[in-house]
Amino acid sequence: MTFRPDQGHFSHLEFLEAAPSLPAPISNWSPKFCLFKFFTDRLSALVALPAVLLIAVALFFLNPFFNRGPVFFSQDRMGMGGKKFRMWKFRSMTEAPEAARAHNAPVENHRITPLGQVLRKYRIDELPNFFNVLVGEMSLIGPRPDVWDHSTEYLGSVTRYKDRFRVRPGITGLAQVYMGYADTARAVRHKADLDKIYVSKSRIRLDLWIMWRTLGVVLTGFGAR
């Protein structure tokens, strides 16, 4: 069974009533790991926000020439417990109706602007995610949140997909350092398997390893997205 908000016009509450029961938030993390997550999330957000504001100012002046349109882009994503939230990014593509791409359609690379390619290569476009981290909607490390409409599809068709909703979604995660963008059914299933591993094996050492791998991607501009 799949759930199509664009067809059935599901509100958030209607979706939760119709969707398969989602697992409860994880409760067996050690107090030490919980404190680690809390402080790394808040500290990383506070450190990143000045850079986000400076880049936003720079893009305000550059966009009219290389990336015409708004500086920011926001989109509904599905977070912990199936909760809908608005995720923020620097816009890297030409404007189009929200959720124009189907869940099983290829990435619309033709819409990426020249400046957007630079923002994406070095993951600069993801920096406004720290706004979401600061307010507690996301974590630094966790399963990458999917577009709301795509998540409702995957919940009914991808085994183990719902396990990701036991934790806060992350700016980066285990699936992101192991594989590229999940634009096929097989890739989505693989991502769901990796997200389940992260949820069940979460610990300080694993988060530090993901941070290290992500730093290599950001500094070199290569690696999984």
Side-chain angles (χ1 to χ4, degrees):
M1 182 178 182
T2 58
F3 304 91
R4 295 297 303 275
D6 55 331
Q7 292 181 359
H9 304 289
F10 279 108
S11 69
H12 181 224
L13 291 178
E14 289 171 335
F15 160 74
L16 292 178
E17 291 176 355
S21 58
L22 297 176
I26 197 164
S27 60
N28 61 349
W29 281 351
S30 69
K32 184 177 180 180
F33 184 54
C34 290
L35 283 174
F36 171 82
K37 294 285 282 186
F38 177 83
F39 283 111
T40 53
D41 285 350
R42 298 307 185 275
L43 182 60
S44 63
L46 291 174
V47 170
L49 287 182
V52 174
L53 295 177
L54 287 174
I55 294 171
V57 171
L59 292 177
F60 178 80
F61 291 102
L62 291 173
N63 274 8
F65 303 100
F66 306 106
N67 190 17
R68 189 176 299 275
V71 170
F72 293 100
F73 168 79
S74 66
Q75 193 174 49
D76 286 337
R77 302 287 175 116
M78 190 178 294
M80 186 169 66
K83 183 178 179 180
K84 180 185 290 188
F85 73 97
R86 199 77 175 170
M87 193 181 81
W88 291 87
K89 302 175 66 174
F90 287 127
R91 186 182 53 82
S92 61
M93 305 175 77
T94 56
E95 294 186 88
E98 187 170 353
R101 185 176 69 85
H103 73 284
N104 56 354
V107 181
E108 299 169 300
N109 290 323
H110 64 282
R111 290 182 48 221
I112 301 175
T113 66
L115 181 56
Q117 290 179 351
V118 177
L119 298 178
R120 284 175 164 243
K121 181 177 181 179
Y122 294 100
R123 279 55 178 181
I124 298 172
D125 62 319
E126 308 290 356
L127 287 177
N129 290 176
F130 281 105
F131 289 130
N132 300 105
V133 173
L134 190 63
V135 299
E137 295 169 332
M138 292 179 63
S139 179
L140 179 62
I141 307 296
R144 185 73 183 159
D146 287 323
V147 176
W148 174 265
D149 290 5
H150 297 181
S151 290
T152 58
E153 288 282 352
Y154 300 149
L155 269 170
S157 61
V158 179
T159 305
R160 293 180 291 279
Y161 185 77
K162 64 182 180 180
D163 290 286
R164 66 184 357 248
F165 300 110
R166 298 185 65 194
V167 300
R168 285 187 179 87
I171 293 179
T172 185
L174 188 63
Q176 280 62 54
V177 299
Y178 263 116
M179 57 184 292
Y181 190 88
D183 58 352
T184 66
R186 181 178 181 181
V188 172
R189 290 193 296 270
H190 188 195
K191 182 176 72 170
D193 290 338
L194 290 171
D195 289 337
K196 180 177 175 60
I197 290 172
Y198 175 78
V199 172
S200 61
K201 303 292 185 181
S202 297
R203 57 179 60 90
I204 293 176
R205 181 179 298 180
L206 179 57
D207 270 27
L208 290 174
W209 181 82
I210 294 172
M211 291 179 197
W212 175 253
R213 286 289 301 269
T214 302
L215 182 62
V217 171
V218 171
L219 293 177
T220 63
F222 296 98
R225 181 171 179 81

